[in-house]
Amino acid sequence: MAEITGGCKKDRMSGNEAVAYAMKQINPDVMPAFPITPSTELPQFVSSYIANGEMDTEFIPVESEHSAMSAAIGAEAAGARTMTATSSAGLALMWEMLYVAASNRLPIVLALVNRALSGPLNINCEHSDSMGARDSGWIQIYAEDNQEAYDNFIQAYRIAEHKDVMLPVMICQDGFIISHGVQNIELLEDADVKAFVGEYEPEHYLLKKDEAMAVGPYAVSGYGMEAKRAQAQGMIDAKQVILDVAAEYEKVSGRKYGFYEAYRLSDADCAIVAIGSVCGTIKDAVDELRADGKKVGLLKVRVFRPFPGEAFAEALKNCKSIAILDRAESFSGCGGPLAAELSAALFQAKSQAGVIRIVYGLNGRDFTVSDAKELYQDLEAEESRKNVQNETYRYIGLRE
């Protein structure tokens, strides 16, 4: 039984349970979904809530993830608040429709439980699925733990449905590490969530009486580029909306969010930049090294799309050396997706810091406190700082 204290409920939940609970509290109109590990529990929980009379969402069982996103597009275009969930190959099967959803400016929210894309076949955590979709036009927000997964999902509709944005949002959590790991978290009261999220009142939709419109028409050459530019503007405008929604959410929850979290970073000489659950491990390493007098810190990326490169570069401006961690392989000369984009942002900011680009944790391989401490040791080494500019990227935890 959950404990009720001061407007919140304290409970123990896995990441999947927490996100499903947020789904129940929001109670959207439609959820099309197809099961895939490790996100299968999300439609299971929702269908149970519906069967028990706790939600009146219309659940649509479909034959594939491509159909799930197609149904989500149809429902949202018709004027219904819509959500879905998937992982890994399920997201890949949605690929075509991800672009359709974003280009049609449909504020769908997708709960993505990050899992490696084949091959080799693997069901463990990796960011190759979401990073592969990074240019599809979806906003992407990542969580470090179960609490953040819950909080991020509640904020998602306020961001997606804002008139200056009107873009779909992908709320990402690490497979198994967050999705199946159980933590103590705080849940908002149902009434507070409903008041915060509000009712969905779209301005234009297919079933609106006396309004004729088309969704997703063929874009001839004279119009298609302008449509894409307008879509890009929605992504640009989303930056301020994300911050505004986070500020409002802090008043309701007491929990503060932004583009990133700066952990003991203000006076750090050496910093690691990372996404997701690994940040908890890195924080432990930072605390241990700080106890030994080392000036080290962490920049935890929460928002990857839109990419707030200027804000990241500003947060890192005092660092002499930086390690950028990616849980996805891009097969590029610049490391993973985060390393490539942040390196460009640091270059634009005229940063003089040495940068080490790291690929880690593929197919669920562990990244430990010892790994983080060794990486900070590399960042501190004067010889390392001199040589990193000639290095493309390296792996951590690789068996040679």
Side-chain angles (χ1 to χ4, degrees), residues 195-393:
F196 179 82
V197 176
E199 295 294 327
Y200 183 37
E201 297 178 355
E203 185 177 357
H204 304 289
Y205 52 97
L206 289 173
L207 297 183
K208 187 174 182 179
K209 187 178 179 181
D210 300 326
E211 181 179 50
M213 63 176 290
V215 174
Y218 176 70
V220 296
S221 299
Y223 293 92
M225 195 166 178
E226 285 73 19
K228 191 58 67 175
R229 175 63 182 85
Q231 185 183 339
Q233 189 63 46
M235 189 67 77
I236 293 168
D237 293 341
K239 290 183 180 180
Q240 188 59 51
V241 173
I242 288 168
L243 296 178
D244 291 345
V245 170
E248 287 189 48
Y249 191 72
E250 183 181 3
K251 295 176 183 176
V252 176
S253 67
R255 294 184 287 275
K256 186 178 181 66
Y257 289 98
F259 295 141
Y260 62 88
E261 178 188 348
Y263 188 75
R264 309 190 78 166
L265 190 62
S266 59
D267 65 339
D269 291 330
C270 306
I272 293 176
V273 183
I275 296 174
S277 60
V278 73
C279 294
T281 302
I282 297 169
K283 287 176 180 178
D284 287 344
V286 169
D287 290 343
E288 291 184 19
L289 291 172
R290 282 279 180 170
D292 293 334
K294 305 291 186 181
K295 288 187 174 183
V296 298
L298 164 72
L299 189 145
K300 180 184 79 180
V301 173
R302 175 176 178 252
V303 177
F304 186 81
R305 280 289 182 271
F307 191 78
E310 291 182 3
F312 294 159
E314 177 66 20
L316 296 164
K317 66 181 180 182
N318 296 323
C319 296
K320 298 175 182 177
S321 52
I322 302 164
I324 309 172
L325 270 61
D326 275 283
R327 201 163 199 156
E329 171 60 88
S330 273
F331 306 106
S332 75
C334 297
L338 177 60
E341 298 210 23
L342 183 54
S343 294
L346 291 169
F347 176 80
Q348 291 290 334
K350 297 180 171 55
S351 170
Q352 298 300 307
V355 177
I356 302 175
R357 302 166 185 88
I358 302 292
V359 172
Y360 80 100
L362 301 186
N363 292 164
R365 184 155 298 181
D366 285 343
F367 181 91
T368 66
V369 173
S370 295
D371 290 330
K373 291 171 73 172
E374 288 179 15
L375 183 52
Y376 280 118
Q377 187 174 10
D378 286 348
L379 289 172
E380 282 188 309
E382 186 66 30
E383 192 63 32
S384 176
R385 276 193 228 143
K386 290 178 181 178
N387 292 336
V388 292
Q389 300 294 3
N390 298 321
E391 180 183 52
T392 54
Y393 63 99

Side-chain angles (χ1 to χ4, degrees), residues 118-186:
S118 298
L121 177 63
N122 184 279
I123 65 168
N124 295 311
C125 178
E126 198 177 297
H127 295 159
S128 51
D129 49 6
S130 57
M131 287 300 173
R134 65 189 180 274
D135 295 334
S136 61
W138 284 63
I139 293 167
Q140 291 188 344
I141 301 177
Y142 290 79
E144 177 189 340
D145 55 26
N146 306 21
Q147 183 71 68
E148 292 187 7
Y150 170 81
D151 292 338
N152 287 345
F153 199 89
I154 292 173
Q155 294 175 65
Y157 281 105
R158 286 287 305 277
I159 298 165
E161 294 169 1
H162 193 282
K163 63 180 179 62
D164 294 336
V165 180
M166 295 302 292
L167 288 172
V169 175
M170 198 177 292
I171 298 298
C172 306
Q173 60 168 313
D174 286 356
F176 292 107
I177 301 169
I178 299 177
S179 67
H180 287 63
V182 176
Q183 287 185 327
N184 294 329
I185 68 170
E186 290 188 355

